[in-house]
């Protein structure tokens, strides 16, 4: 972590929050005021894939921010979760940002850690067996799914989109879907949804990553969905507009390898979508 970037100086104050070596290391980060004290706090998750039969190496840490910078020790830590993605927003409307984690599990799940004065509190688990969430929690087995199911997340105020990219749509394996959680309501969107560009195909992985942010200056958060398995490994992005009643498919647009001029490069567009 670097401080004083306004001056363009990268040699000033730094805080090391994690280091190590491994194969296929996955790192997820987010920053938000989880404690409500006016300073941004920092959450970071590491997942090391197993080597030679070893167990996964897992860690989720939350560090408090202050007037003097980031704390050197975590206010919260756990080694029990394989976190694929992190996001933050005031999900419960209490004035503090909450931490939302997309967790690898059998079927994938979201964990919402409420922000507290000291860091974060106990998490609420949300999956497709949760009341109001569309779909059915489908445990994956190594023989059925070579890759572990996971969920990517983003937040905008009290709205949280999640994306189970290994979701089967009907009989189409791993077509993927994106689910938008509106407090107590939910909406699931995929390439079989009316108005969503494209066709649900095996391995599309629609929902590989998601981002919820206002893109067209109308005051509503718009949903960007990555589909990194579209057309093999070419990938695509689908933009769904936000409206007064939520995300709508009206006027939706898709950006593929051809649109962006990178066809034939196995770019896996949508594998990474920034907030």
């Amino acid at each position: 972590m670097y401080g004083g970037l306004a001056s363009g100086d990268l040699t000033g104050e730094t805080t090391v929050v994690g280091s190590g070596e491994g194969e296929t290391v996955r790192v997820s980060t987010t920053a938000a005021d989880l404690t409500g004290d006016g300073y941004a706090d920092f959450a970071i998750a590491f997942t090391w894939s197993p080597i030679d039969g070893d167990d996964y190496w897992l860690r989720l840490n939350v560090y408090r921010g202050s007037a003097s910078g980031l704390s050197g020790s975590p206010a919260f830590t756990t080694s029990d979760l394989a976190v694929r993605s992190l996001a933050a927003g005031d999900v419960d409307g209490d004035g503090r940002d909450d931490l939302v984690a997309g967790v690898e599990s059998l079927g994938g799940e979201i964990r919402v850690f409420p922000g507290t004065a000291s860091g974060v509190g106990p998490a609420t688990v949300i999956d497709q067996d949760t009341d109001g969430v569309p779909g059915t929690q489908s445990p994956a087995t190594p023989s059925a799914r070579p890759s572990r199911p996971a969920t990517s997340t983003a937040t905008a105020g009290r709205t949280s989109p999640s994306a189970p990219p290994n979701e089967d749509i009907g009989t189409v394996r791993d077509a993927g879907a994106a689910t938008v959680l509106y407090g107590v309501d939910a909406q699931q969107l995929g390439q079989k949804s009316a108005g969503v560009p494209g066709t649900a195909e095996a391995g599309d992985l629609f929902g590989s990553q998601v981002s919820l942010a206002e893109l067209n200056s109308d005051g509503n958060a718009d949903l960007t969905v990555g589909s990194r398995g579209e057309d093999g490994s070419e990938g695509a992005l689908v933009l769904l507009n936000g409206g007064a009643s939520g995300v709508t498919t009206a006027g939706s647009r898709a950006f593929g390898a051809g649109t962006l001029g990178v066809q034939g490069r196995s770019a896996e567009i949508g594998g990474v979508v920034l907030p």
Side-chain angles (χ1 to χ4, degrees):
M1 298 290 296
Y2 295 93
L5 292 184
S7 65
D9 182 10
L10 294 180
T11 63
E13 296 181 5
T14 62
T15 303
V16 178
V17 294
S19 63
E21 297 180 355
E23 298 179 4
T24 318
V25 180
R26 176 183 294 139
V27 179
S28 302
T29 63
T30 192
D33 186 5
L34 302 171
T35 59
D37 63 0
Y39 298 101
D41 309 299
F42 182 69
I44 184 168
F46 297 92
T47 302
W48 267 265
S49 297
I51 303 173
D52 297 329
D54 293 340
D55 292 334
Y56 272 76
W57 194 94
L58 313 173
R59 183 66 55 84
L60 169 61
N61 286 351
V62 176
Y63 298 85
R64 292 193 61 177
S66 68
S68 58
L70 201 64
S71 171
S73 58
F76 171 84
T77 184
T78 179
S79 298
D80 295 330
L81 301 175
V83 175
R84 181 183 180 91
S85 60
L86 291 171
D90 188 5
V91 175
D92 54 15
D94 67 351
R96 291 190 181 100
D97 287 329
D98 308 298
L99 181 64
V100 183
V103 178
E104 292 187 355
S105 65
L106 296 181
E109 65 186 37
I110 294 172
R111 299 209 178 195
V112 182
F113 296 85
T116 69
S118 59
V120 295
T124 298
V125 179
I126 301 173
D127 59 24
Q128 288 185 301
D129 282 340
T130 302
D131 289 344
V133 177
T136 302
Q137 191 77 351
S138 303
T141 60
S143 61
R145 302 280 178 82
S147 58
R148 299 184 68 187
T151 302
S152 59
T153 60
T155 64
R158 301 187 68 178
T159 303
S160 298
S162 67
N166 292 90
E167 181 80 357
D168 295 343
I169 304 299
T171 60
V172 184
R173 299 288 299 275
D174 296 343
T179 301
V180 186
L181 308 176
Y182 304 97
V184 297
D185 298 319
Q187 173 188 18
Q188 188 171 79
L189 298 161
Q191 288 184 297
K192 278 195 173 181
S193 303
V196 175
T199 302
E201 299 171 313
D204 276 349
L205 300 178
F206 185 86
S208 302
Q209 289 286 301
V210 290
S211 175
L212 196 61
E214 184 184 355
L215 301 178
N216 54 13
S217 301
D218 66 354
N220 299 307
D222 308 299
L223 179 63
T224 302
V225 182
S227 182
R228 65 180 175 85
E230 185 78 21
D231 296 329
S233 57
E234 296 288 79
L237 292 171
V238 174
L239 174 61
L240 304 170
N241 294 319
S245 58
V247 174
T248 175
T249 61
S252 58
R253 290 172 287 170
F255 302 89
T259 310
L260 301 175
V262 292
Q263 61 268 38
R265 301 184 187 180
S266 299
E268 293 193 356
I269 299 167
V272 176
V273 179
L274 298 179

